[in-house]
Amino acid sequence: MSLGEPLLEVLDTLRRQSWEEVEVFHKKGRSRTMQYTLYGDSTSLRQEEGWAVRAGDRRRSFYYAASGPPKPSAFWPEADGSGLRLPSARPGLPWSPPSNLDAPLIGEGEARGFFSGLARELDHELQGARLLSGYLDDGSSESQLASSREIDSHVRHRVASLHLEAVGPSADTTSVSLDVADRDARHFSPAALARRLADLLLVAEKGPTRPRDRGEFILAPPVAVGLLAALSGLWVGPEAEKRSAMLIDRNGRLGSPALTLIDDGRLPGGILEAPVDGEGQPTRRVTLIEEGSFRQPLLAWWQTPSSLKRSSGCSLRPGWRDLPSPSPTHLFLEADPSIRAVSLIQNLSRGYYLIGLSGSPRIDPDFSRFAAPVSGFAIASGRPTGTVARAWLVGSVSALLNGIVAKARDLTFSSIGGGMVGSPTVLVKGLELRQQT
Amino acid sequence: MSDTPFTQLDTAGIARTLSQIAEQPADLADAFFERIEKVELPPADQPPGLRVWRESGLAIRLLREGRTWLAGRDQIDPEIFQDALRRVARAMPRAPYPLPDLGDDTWEEPPEAPEVLTFPTAVSQALRTHHIDFPVNLTVRRHRRWIRVVGTHLASGTESESFYSCDAEMPWARYGCLLDELSHEKAEELARRLVNLYRARDAEPPPPWRGASILGASATAVLLHEAVAHALEADTLAHGGHPEAALGVRMGSRLLDVFDDPSSAPSSVRRSADDEGFPVVRRCLLRAGIVEQPLCDTAWTRRSDRLTAGAGRRGNRHLPPGPRSSHLELIAGEHSRQSLLADAEGGLYLPEADRGRLDPVTGEFVLRFPYGRRIENQVPGALVGPCWMRGRLSDLLDKVTGVGAQTSAAGAGWCAKGGIKLPVWATCPEVRIEGVEIGP
C-alpha cells in the first residue's frame, strides 16, 4: 500500500476543520537487532510504524503522534500555546536515491557469525581480551511528509549501527567501547574493529606516561569528531556567528587554512543522504568555514526567515515520535585526498597519536578553552614509544582551530545527536597534554 | 472497550497459540501488550502547544537455552500477532490454531491533562514566595503506561503506571525530576530545589574532603541506585562471573538493609507483576550489608535455581526484558537528624545527587552533587558548589556509619542504563558516610 493515502486523508480532515497550517508525517521501518553478551544473545525483529501531526494557526497549535498508520479519527489535543508557522515547498536540486537501499537486512546467522568472528579476532589481536557485549542494529525505513503548504516528500533510509564493549586481559582493566555506523551492516569488518578495540584496550591497560607535555598531536577521527561536535555552537544555529566572531583574528580567520567545514544533507554515500530534511526543505551542501574563514552558520529555514538562501534543509526527524529539530546532517572537516593517515604518523618526529575519547570534551561557556579526556600513544620518530591514558588534551579553542596543519584522507563519520559528524585524521600543533589528577 | 486496556484479550487463545512455538519443555513463550501515552506541555515560548504521543503494540518472545527471539509491532491486531509469532518461531506447525481475539485497540478518551496545564503557574507562584526572580523554562509531562503479559502458563492482569516528569532549564543549570502527582506541595518542593540551585550557582566547590558527610534522602537514593541496584543486576554481575557467586558476599556496612519492592512504590506506579508477567517480590538486595538476592529476570533464573525472577523490566515492546530495580528502600536506622549532623561537624551536607555512574568492570564509582552545605554548629550552613564523590564500590558502601530514622519518598528519576530509559523510585532516610573523598 502506498504511504500516501492515509496520510493525505488526515491532512484533508484537518484542513476541513479550518486549520491554516497542517503537516502530517508518516514513517515505517523494519530492523533486525542482535544483542550479544558473554552469556547468550537475543535477536529482535522490529516493525515500527507511526505518524505525527503539527497543526495550528497564528494563535494556537498542537502536536499529536501515534503508532500505526495515520487515522483521521484520532482525538486531537486541545490547541494551546504559541501559533504555528510551517515552511513552504521549495525547489531542490535533482536527486537520485542511492542504489543500495534495498539490500536485505542482515540475517540472524550472519549477525551471530559476525560477533563470534569479532570475539575471535579480538583475542587474536590481544590475547585474553574479551568482547563483553555488542549491539548490532540493521534497519531500513521510509517516510512521507505532506503539508498545507504544498510539501509532499518521500524519503528512504538504510542505517546500520554497532556498539561494542570489550575488556582487556588483566584483572583491573577498565572496559572500552566503540560505536560505528554504516549503511549496510555487512560492511562492518570484524578484523578492523578488533584492531581498534585492541588498541583502545592496550592504551587503557598500559596507562599514563608523562604527566604534562606539549608537542604535535595526531587526532584520530573519533577524537577530532568529538571536538567538532562539542564546538558545534561555533558553526551551528543563529548564535554561531556572534560566538565565532570572538575568535576571529585580525586577518579575518577563525582557523588555519586547513580548516574547511561543510554540512551536506545530500552527501553522496552519506548514511543520512536525502533530498529533503524532516520538514520537507531541500538539503544542500553548505560551506560553513572555508580555509579558515567563517562563511555562514548552519541554519534551518525558520532561523533565517529574512534570508532563506542562507538556510538549508537541516531539521532532523529521526523517528515518528520526534519533532523536527535543527542539527548537523553530515557535518565534516574536509579531507585531503593526497595524504594517508599512516604517513602523518610516520612523519611525526615527537608527539602523540590520540585514538580515543573517554568522555565528552568540556568547552568553556565563552568558547575560550577546551579540555578533552583522551587516550593514545606517545610517538617518536614515527614509532610508538609508550601509551597515554587518563589524560586531558587542553588548550584554547582558537589554538585548536588555528593549529590544524594537516589532515589525511580517511574521512570517518560518527552518529552524534541524530546527525553525522565526520573528520579525517588531523595533525594539530600548539596544544598541551595533562594527566588527570 | 473498557477504561483499562487489554481486559478483553482472549488469554486462553493467546496461550494456545503461543504453545505452538514453545516446542521444547524448557521454552518460554509470551506475548507482551503495551499502551503508552505521554502528554507534554513545552515551555511557554515553544510551539506547538500541547504535545501528545499515543502508542500501542505487542511483542512475541521465545526464550530457549539462553537465547531470546523477539518480534515487536506497533499495532495490536490478530493478524499482526500471527505475523510476529511466525517471526520468532523456530518451526511452525502445519495446522496452526485460529487467531486469538485481542479485543478493540481504540483509545476511548481524549488526551486531556488539565493538571499539566496549571502546574507551571503553580511553580511560578511558589518561586515568587521566595522573593527571587529568575528565568525558568519548564517542561511538564504526564506519562501513562499499561501493559499485560500472557504466556503459555501465566497471564498477568493489566498493570498500569502514571507519573509526571519536569525539566527546568535555567541559564546556569538544568534540573529534572519525576513526581507521582502534581500538587501545590510538589510545586513548592520543586520551587525550593530551583531556588537552592539558584543560590548555589556561583558557590565555590569544596576542597577535597574525606571526613564525615551527610547525604540527604534524595542523594542516598541515587547512591543506592548506582552502587547497590546496578551492581546487583544479574547482567552487571555476569561481567565478573556467574551472578549466583554474589550471594552471601559482604558488600557494605552492616547498617545497610536495602530492598527493591515494586509493590510498595507510590500508588500511581505500584506494581503487582513485572514486565514479564511474574509477580513482583519484596526483594532483599542487602541484609546487614550482605548480598541476599540480586535483581533477576526470567532468563537469569533459568541458569540458577537460587535466583528469583520478578525484576524484569522492558524499555518498550521492541526491547527484550532485563533485570532492573523499580522501587528501592533503605530501612531506617536509629539516628535522629541531630545526631547524624552532630557527628559530622565541619563536613558536608549533600541534599541531592544529579548523576552517578558505576563502571561494572572496575567497580569505579562516581556521584555528582549539584551543590551542598558546610555543616556548622550542627546545622547545614554555607553553600558549596558542585562536587563529586569518587571511589571503588567495594570501599564506598563500607563507609556508611549512620542511617537516619526518618524515611521519605525521594530521589525518583530516570535510569538510562544501556540507553534504555526507565523511571525508578525510592524511599530512603539520610545517611552519614565517612572516609570517602568528596571534592571538585
Side-chain angles (χ1 to χ4, degrees), chain B residues 121-243:
Chain B
T121 309
V123 174
S124 298
Q125 286 170 349
L127 281 172
R128 277 201 290 275
T129 63
H130 291 269
H131 306 291
I132 291 176
D133 188 25
F134 53 82
V136 184
N137 276 334
L138 190 63
T139 303
V140 187
R141 301 180 193 91
R142 185 184 71 190
H143 305 259
R144 296 198 294 173
R145 182 179 184 232
W146 298 263
I147 65 150
R148 190 166 188 197
V149 184
V150 181
T152 47
H153 297 95
L154 188 74
S156 71
T158 299
E159 294 281 321
S160 67
E161 294 173 354
S162 174
F163 61 94
Y164 302 86
S165 65
C166 295
D167 287 324
E169 202 161 333
M170 296 153 291
W172 59 88
R174 297 177 77 167
Y175 178 78
C177 63
L178 298 189
L179 304 168
D180 60 330
E181 60 171 8
L182 297 184
S183 60
H184 276 291
E185 291 74 26
K186 299 288 181 185
E188 279 164 17
E189 188 182 323
L190 176 57
R192 187 171 47 78
R193 287 170 189 248
L194 298 182
V195 167
N196 284 338
L197 283 170
Y198 172 79
R199 288 184 171 141
R201 68 194 187 287
D202 294 325
E204 283 294 315
W209 168 260
R210 292 185 72 88
S213 291
I214 310 295
L215 303 190
S218 187
T220 302
V222 181
L223 171 76
L224 294 180
H225 178 78
E226 298 294 339
V228 178
H230 278 321
L232 291 181
E233 288 161 353
D235 53 352
T236 304
L237 289 169
H239 285 153
H242 198 293

Side-chain angles (χ1 to χ4, degrees), chain A residues 136-188:
Chain A
L136 174 64
D137 185 304
D138 187 17
S140 65
S141 69
E142 57 180 328
S143 60
Q144 187 162 358
L145 184 76
S147 83
S148 54
R149 290 183 170 266
E150 311 303 326
I151 282 178
D152 182 1
S153 64
H154 185 223
V155 174
R156 294 175 66 201
H157 279 124
R158 181 70 205 272
V159 179
S161 61
L162 176 67
H163 174 78
L164 300 169
E165 281 186 49
V167 69
S170 70
D172 61 347
T173 182
T174 186
S175 60
V176 298
S177 64
L178 193 59
D179 289 278
V180 289
D182 205 303
R183 183 168 288 152
D184 189 337
R186 292 174 187 86
H187 293 168
F188 295 135

Side-chain angles (χ1 to χ4, degrees), chain A residues 39 41-49 61 63-67 75 80 82-83 108 112 167 173-174 321 323, chain B residues 44 47-56 67-72 74 87 107 235 300 303 319 359 361-362:
Chain A
Y39 41 83
D41 60 49
S42 67
T43 308
S44 304
L45 191 66
R46 306 173 182 187
Q47 285 191 15
E48 297 181 74
E49 180 175 9
S61 59
Y63 175 81
Y64 180 85
S67 58
F75 284 113
D80 195 3
S82 311
E108 183 184 326
R112 195 166 285 129
V167 69
T173 182
T174 186
R321 297 176 186 86
L323 279 148
Chain B
L50 205 59
R51 300 168 180 175
V52 173
W53 291 259
R54 282 183 157 181
E55 55 183 288
S56 57
R67 282 187 178 162
T68 299
W69 291 270
L70 184 81
D74 281 350
R87 300 285 177 183
W107 292 82
D235 53 352
W300 283 103
R303 295 182 173 92
L319 299 168
D359 184 324
V361 178
T362 61

